[in-house]
Amino acid sequence: MADHRVTRRKFLKTSSVATAAFFGSTVFDAGSLLAAGPHLRRDVGGLPSTSSVLKSYKKAIQAMKALPTSNPLSWDYQAAIHGTLLAGTHTAWNTCEHGTYFFFSWHRMYLWYFEKIIRKMSGHPEWALPFWNYESGAERKLPEPFRSPAAASNDLYTPNRGPGWNDGTSELLPSSVATAAAFAHVPFNDFSSSLEGTPHAAVHVSIGSWMGSISTAAQDPIFWLHHCNIDRLWNLWLAAGGGRTDPLGDSTWKDTKFTFFDENGNEVQLTGCDILRAQKQLHYRYEGEPKQVELFCARHLPIPTWVKEMLFKIPEPPVVGPGPDPVPFEIDIREFRDRLSRIAAERDADLLLDFTEVEADRQPDVYYEVYLGLPKGAEPQFDSPYYVGNLAFFGHGVRDERQHGGFHPASFSFRINRAVEAALKRDAQAGSLNALLVPRVAARDGKPIAARASAKIRIGSAAISVRRKQKR
Ligand code: C2O
């Protein structure tokens, strides 16, 4: 059965010109129609450690670890495609996309081939990658099957995780896994960079150690379940509608080719257009997800354009960290108060707090919750209207991360309509808004543990701006 499929794929590959013309997209449309039902990517929270999904994953990891690093199917090679500290140059090493609009598409491709490799190495042809659904309150700890070093034969375990994860005492904080701030963005690029921050980077940072750095993260077996969830969130964001769509008017996003290896160790390439429809093109779907939105490169609705206008710059943005202290600063709004309150209440305008040219010398090992408009002396509460999002780093923005294309700073954009409205409702004559950055890393027994930033973060520029859909 499996062999049959491989042969068919090969056949389709060689005739891809004709097939692509016929199907209007790629060879995978045809391949998936001919194969059995879609692979189901399941919530790891519903899988006992004895489940065949986890057993096969272990078995495959073991087999991949036995291969030499130079073999594209080896565990090391697969991780090195993401990033590695190993010397030497091999095809596709160190090619992960961070801080660019390829973040979702590149990782989707990466996971898809990885999943095929696991299928082959485990001999489990129906295998599909599970996802870590940490936004659910019941799944805030590292999934149990990944924790126990017992019998040294648990290939889902690594000691290279931050404190408390492997003994099950640490939990992800609600702010590190929240998707609402990212989902509030309708333009793709803003959604992508926001979700890449939270939950994506925030979860990386919270787990720490290997997971905290581009060059080591993909060696941790949990990395793949984390990214499977990120990929699922891309589908969910599209399904939320309201004009949310992929950048189908952008030929660079659609046509740029990325290189990977298939389960036979052959070099392969995919483009954005090849991976738009998870179920139809790539043949997988997620447990519990609504009907997938089907986008097509060849025919798409006009993509709205957005105009962003800066209202004012915030003079002297604060220096953040190192250390354990929250960082307060004040934003003078005397000249802008009336405009701010008008825009905050407008239905089709997004008021944004932008931090640009943001950089840290090293991974700060914490993320910062960002609050705006907090009453003086009030406790920062994640579930209050004053919480607007997080400052979280993974890869870009971190000076000592080895990234292809070299260093580039990070930027963050927080939608602040709700916070501004709440603050001005409390005090319609306020001359300033209090902002507060609070370092966080994890929780124990439901409470945030002490968090200490191990690097200084510089915010090159901070501003308040307004974003509107361009009228046609
Ligand atoms: Cu390329 Cu979560 O990383």
Side-chain angles (χ1 to χ4, degrees), residues 19-54:
T19 317
F22 181 70
F23 284 93
S25 179
T26 70
V27 302
F28 303 110
D29 287 321
S32 51
L33 288 173
L34 295 165
H39 293 286
L40 182 63
R41 292 185 174 178
R42 299 182 57 190
D43 184 337
V44 72
L47 301 176
S49 47
T50 51
S51 90
S52 68
V53 175
L54 294 169

Short mmCIF file of all heavy atoms in Angstrom, two decimals, residues 19-54:
data_model
loop_
_atom_site.label_atom_id
_atom_site.label_comp_id
_atom_site.label_asym_id
_atom_site.label_seq_id
_atom_site.Cartn_x
_atom_site.Cartn_y
_atom_site.Cartn_z
N THR A 19 0.17 17.55 -15.34
CA THR A 19 -0.75 17.44 -14.21
C THR A 19 -1.06 18.81 -13.63
O THR A 19 -2.19 19.15 -13.38
CB THR A 19 -0.14 16.57 -13.10
OG1 THR A 19 0.46 15.45 -13.73
CG2 THR A 19 -1.18 16.14 -12.13
N ALA A 20 -0.01 19.60 -13.47
CA ALA A 20 -0.20 20.92 -12.87
C ALA A 20 -1.11 21.76 -13.75
O ALA A 20 -1.99 22.46 -13.26
CB ALA A 20 1.14 21.60 -12.67
N ALA A 21 -0.92 21.66 -15.03
CA ALA A 21 -1.75 22.45 -15.93
C ALA A 21 -3.19 22.00 -15.81
O ALA A 21 -4.11 22.80 -15.73
CB ALA A 21 -1.26 22.29 -17.36
N PHE A 22 -3.37 20.71 -15.71
CA PHE A 22 -4.72 20.18 -15.65
C PHE A 22 -5.43 20.53 -14.35
O PHE A 22 -6.56 20.99 -14.34
CB PHE A 22 -4.67 18.65 -15.83
CG PHE A 22 -6.03 18.04 -15.79
CD1 PHE A 22 -6.92 18.25 -16.84
CD2 PHE A 22 -6.44 17.28 -14.71
CE1 PHE A 22 -8.19 17.70 -16.80
CE2 PHE A 22 -7.70 16.72 -14.68
CZ PHE A 22 -8.57 16.93 -15.72
N PHE A 23 -4.73 20.38 -13.25
CA PHE A 23 -5.36 20.63 -11.95
C PHE A 23 -5.25 22.09 -11.50
O PHE A 23 -5.78 22.47 -10.50
CB PHE A 23 -4.76 19.72 -10.87
CG PHE A 23 -5.27 18.32 -10.97
CD1 PHE A 23 -4.58 17.37 -11.70
CD2 PHE A 23 -6.47 17.96 -10.37
CE1 PHE A 23 -5.07 16.07 -11.80
CE2 PHE A 23 -6.95 16.67 -10.48
CZ PHE A 23 -6.25 15.72 -11.20
N GLY A 24 -4.54 22.88 -12.28
CA GLY A 24 -4.45 24.29 -11.96
C GLY A 24 -3.57 24.57 -10.76
O GLY A 24 -3.40 25.69 -10.37
N SER A 25 -3.04 23.54 -10.15
CA SER A 25 -2.17 23.83 -9.01
C SER A 25 -0.96 22.92 -9.02
O SER A 25 -0.04 23.13 -9.77
CB SER A 25 -2.96 23.70 -7.72
OG SER A 25 -2.13 23.97 -6.64
N THR A 26 -0.98 21.87 -8.23
CA THR A 26 0.23 21.07 -8.15
C THR A 26 -0.11 19.59 -8.24
O THR A 26 -1.27 19.19 -8.22
CB THR A 26 0.95 21.25 -6.81
OG1 THR A 26 0.12 20.63 -5.82
CG2 THR A 26 1.15 22.70 -6.48
N VAL A 27 0.93 18.83 -8.26
CA VAL A 27 0.78 17.38 -8.36
C VAL A 27 0.06 16.80 -7.15
O VAL A 27 -0.51 15.74 -7.23
CB VAL A 27 2.15 16.70 -8.48
CG1 VAL A 27 2.88 17.24 -9.68
CG2 VAL A 27 2.98 16.89 -7.24
N PHE A 28 0.13 17.50 -6.04
CA PHE A 28 -0.40 16.90 -4.82
C PHE A 28 -1.92 16.80 -4.82
O PHE A 28 -2.50 15.97 -4.18
CB PHE A 28 0.12 17.65 -3.60
CG PHE A 28 1.60 17.66 -3.58
CD1 PHE A 28 2.29 18.83 -3.80
CD2 PHE A 28 2.29 16.48 -3.43
CE1 PHE A 28 3.68 18.82 -3.83
CE2 PHE A 28 3.67 16.46 -3.46
CZ PHE A 28 4.36 17.63 -3.66
N ASP A 29 -2.56 17.67 -5.58
CA ASP A 29 -4.00 17.55 -5.72
C ASP A 29 -4.35 16.15 -6.19
O ASP A 29 -5.18 15.46 -5.62
CB ASP A 29 -4.52 18.53 -6.75
CG ASP A 29 -4.50 19.94 -6.21
OD1 ASP A 29 -4.83 20.11 -5.03
OD2 ASP A 29 -4.14 20.84 -6.97
N ALA A 30 -3.67 15.75 -7.24
CA ALA A 30 -3.95 14.47 -7.84
C ALA A 30 -3.59 13.34 -6.89
O ALA A 30 -4.37 12.43 -6.65
CB ALA A 30 -3.17 14.34 -9.14
N GLY A 31 -2.41 13.44 -6.29
CA GLY A 31 -1.94 12.39 -5.40
C GLY A 31 -2.91 12.12 -4.28
O GLY A 31 -3.22 10.98 -3.96
N SER A 32 -3.46 13.20 -3.71
CA SER A 32 -4.30 12.98 -2.55
C SER A 32 -5.67 12.43 -2.92
O SER A 32 -6.29 11.72 -2.16
CB SER A 32 -4.43 14.27 -1.75
OG SER A 32 -4.81 15.31 -2.58
N LEU A 33 -6.13 12.75 -4.11
CA LEU A 33 -7.42 12.21 -4.51
C LEU A 33 -7.35 10.69 -4.67
O LEU A 33 -8.32 9.99 -4.45
CB LEU A 33 -7.86 12.82 -5.85
CG LEU A 33 -8.30 14.28 -5.76
CD1 LEU A 33 -8.55 14.84 -7.15
CD2 LEU A 33 -9.54 14.41 -4.90
N LEU A 34 -6.17 10.24 -5.04
CA LEU A 34 -6.04 8.82 -5.32
C LEU A 34 -5.75 7.99 -4.08
O LEU A 34 -5.94 6.79 -4.06
CB LEU A 34 -4.91 8.61 -6.35
CG LEU A 34 -5.24 9.24 -7.72
CD1 LEU A 34 -3.99 9.34 -8.57
CD2 LEU A 34 -6.31 8.43 -8.43
N ALA A 35 -5.28 8.64 -3.04
CA ALA A 35 -4.92 7.88 -1.84
C ALA A 35 -6.14 7.75 -0.91
O ALA A 35 -7.20 8.27 -1.18
CB ALA A 35 -3.79 8.59 -1.12
N ALA A 36 -5.93 7.03 0.17
CA ALA A 36 -7.02 6.83 1.14
C ALA A 36 -7.35 8.12 1.87
O ALA A 36 -6.73 9.14 1.65
CB ALA A 36 -6.60 5.76 2.13
N GLY A 37 -8.34 8.07 2.78
CA GLY A 37 -8.80 9.27 3.51
C GLY A 37 -7.66 10.04 4.15
O GLY A 37 -6.58 9.52 4.30
N PRO A 38 -7.93 11.28 4.56
CA PRO A 38 -6.84 12.12 5.06
C PRO A 38 -6.26 11.62 6.38
O PRO A 38 -6.94 10.98 7.17
CB PRO A 38 -7.50 13.49 5.24
CG PRO A 38 -8.95 13.21 5.38
CD PRO A 38 -9.22 11.95 4.61
N HIS A 39 -5.01 11.91 6.55
CA HIS A 39 -4.38 11.61 7.84
C HIS A 39 -4.93 12.56 8.89
O HIS A 39 -5.09 13.75 8.63
CB HIS A 39 -2.87 11.78 7.73
CG HIS A 39 -2.23 10.78 6.83
ND1 HIS A 39 -2.07 9.46 7.20
CD2 HIS A 39 -1.75 10.87 5.59
CE1 HIS A 39 -1.50 8.80 6.22
NE2 HIS A 39 -1.29 9.62 5.21
N LEU A 40 -5.21 12.03 10.05
CA LEU A 40 -5.78 12.84 11.12
C LEU A 40 -4.71 13.20 12.14
O LEU A 40 -4.14 12.33 12.79
CB LEU A 40 -6.91 12.05 11.80
CG LEU A 40 -7.63 12.80 12.93
CD1 LEU A 40 -8.35 14.04 12.39
CD2 LEU A 40 -8.61 11.87 13.65
N ARG A 41 -4.45 14.48 12.27
CA ARG A 41 -3.51 14.95 13.29
C ARG A 41 -4.29 15.17 14.58
O ARG A 41 -5.19 16.00 14.63
CB ARG A 41 -2.82 16.23 12.83
CG ARG A 41 -1.88 16.00 11.66
CD ARG A 41 -1.11 17.26 11.31
NE ARG A 41 -0.11 17.03 10.28
CZ ARG A 41 0.67 17.97 9.77
NH1 ARG A 41 0.55 19.23 10.20
NH2 ARG A 41 1.56 17.69 8.84
N ARG A 42 -3.92 14.41 15.59
CA ARG A 42 -4.73 14.39 16.81
C ARG A 42 -4.14 15.20 17.95
O ARG A 42 -2.94 15.44 18.01
CB ARG A 42 -4.92 12.93 17.24
CG ARG A 42 -5.66 12.12 16.18
CD ARG A 42 -5.88 10.71 16.63
NE ARG A 42 -6.63 10.67 17.89
CZ ARG A 42 -6.79 9.58 18.61
NH1 ARG A 42 -6.25 8.44 18.23
NH2 ARG A 42 -7.49 9.62 19.72
N ASP A 43 -5.02 15.60 18.84
CA ASP A 43 -4.63 16.32 20.05
C ASP A 43 -3.88 15.36 20.97
O ASP A 43 -4.44 14.33 21.38
CB ASP A 43 -5.92 16.83 20.72
CG ASP A 43 -5.66 17.68 21.94
OD1 ASP A 43 -4.57 17.57 22.54
OD2 ASP A 43 -6.56 18.46 22.31
N VAL A 44 -2.65 15.69 21.31
CA VAL A 44 -1.85 14.77 22.12
C VAL A 44 -2.48 14.58 23.50
O VAL A 44 -2.28 13.54 24.15
CB VAL A 44 -0.38 15.25 22.24
CG1 VAL A 44 -0.27 16.48 23.15
CG2 VAL A 44 0.53 14.13 22.75
N GLY A 45 -3.26 15.56 23.94
CA GLY A 45 -3.91 15.47 25.25
C GLY A 45 -4.87 14.29 25.35
O GLY A 45 -5.17 13.82 26.44
N GLY A 46 -5.33 13.80 24.19
CA GLY A 46 -6.25 12.67 24.20
C GLY A 46 -5.57 11.34 23.95
O GLY A 46 -6.24 10.31 23.81
N LEU A 47 -4.25 11.33 23.91
CA LEU A 47 -3.53 10.09 23.60
C LEU A 47 -2.85 9.52 24.84
O LEU A 47 -2.04 10.21 25.46
CB LEU A 47 -2.44 10.35 22.54
CG LEU A 47 -2.88 10.91 21.18
CD1 LEU A 47 -1.64 11.20 20.32
CD2 LEU A 47 -3.81 9.93 20.48
N PRO A 48 -3.15 8.29 25.19
CA PRO A 48 -2.39 7.67 26.30
C PRO A 48 -0.97 7.38 25.82
O PRO A 48 -0.73 7.28 24.61
CB PRO A 48 -3.15 6.37 26.55
CG PRO A 48 -3.87 6.07 25.29
CD PRO A 48 -4.13 7.38 24.61
N SER A 49 -0.03 7.27 26.76
CA SER A 49 1.36 7.06 26.33
C SER A 49 1.52 5.71 25.62
O SER A 49 2.51 5.48 24.95
CB SER A 49 2.33 7.20 27.50
OG SER A 49 1.85 6.46 28.58
N THR A 50 0.53 4.84 25.79
CA THR A 50 0.60 3.55 25.10
C THR A 50 0.03 3.63 23.69
O THR A 50 0.00 2.63 22.98
CB THR A 50 -0.23 2.51 25.87
OG1 THR A 50 -1.53 3.08 26.11
CG2 THR A 50 0.40 2.16 27.19
N SER A 51 -0.42 4.80 23.28
CA SER A 51 -1.06 4.89 21.95
C SER A 51 -0.04 4.61 20.86
O SER A 51 1.16 4.89 20.99
CB SER A 51 -1.68 6.27 21.74
OG SER A 51 -0.73 7.14 21.14
N SER A 52 -0.51 4.07 19.76
CA SER A 52 0.40 3.70 18.69
C SER A 52 1.01 4.94 18.05
O SER A 52 2.10 4.89 17.49
CB SER A 52 -0.33 2.86 17.64
OG SER A 52 -1.28 3.68 16.98
N VAL A 53 0.34 6.07 18.16
CA VAL A 53 0.90 7.30 17.60
C VAL A 53 2.23 7.64 18.30
O VAL A 53 3.24 7.92 17.66
CB VAL A 53 -0.09 8.47 17.75
CG1 VAL A 53 0.53 9.78 17.29
CG2 VAL A 53 -1.38 8.19 17.00
N LEU A 54 2.20 7.56 19.63
CA LEU A 54 3.42 7.90 20.37
C LEU A 54 4.47 6.80 20.27
O LEU A 54 5.66 7.07 20.18
CB LEU A 54 3.07 8.23 21.82
CG LEU A 54 2.21 9.50 21.94
CD1 LEU A 54 1.64 9.67 23.34
CD2 LEU A 54 3.01 10.74 21.53
#
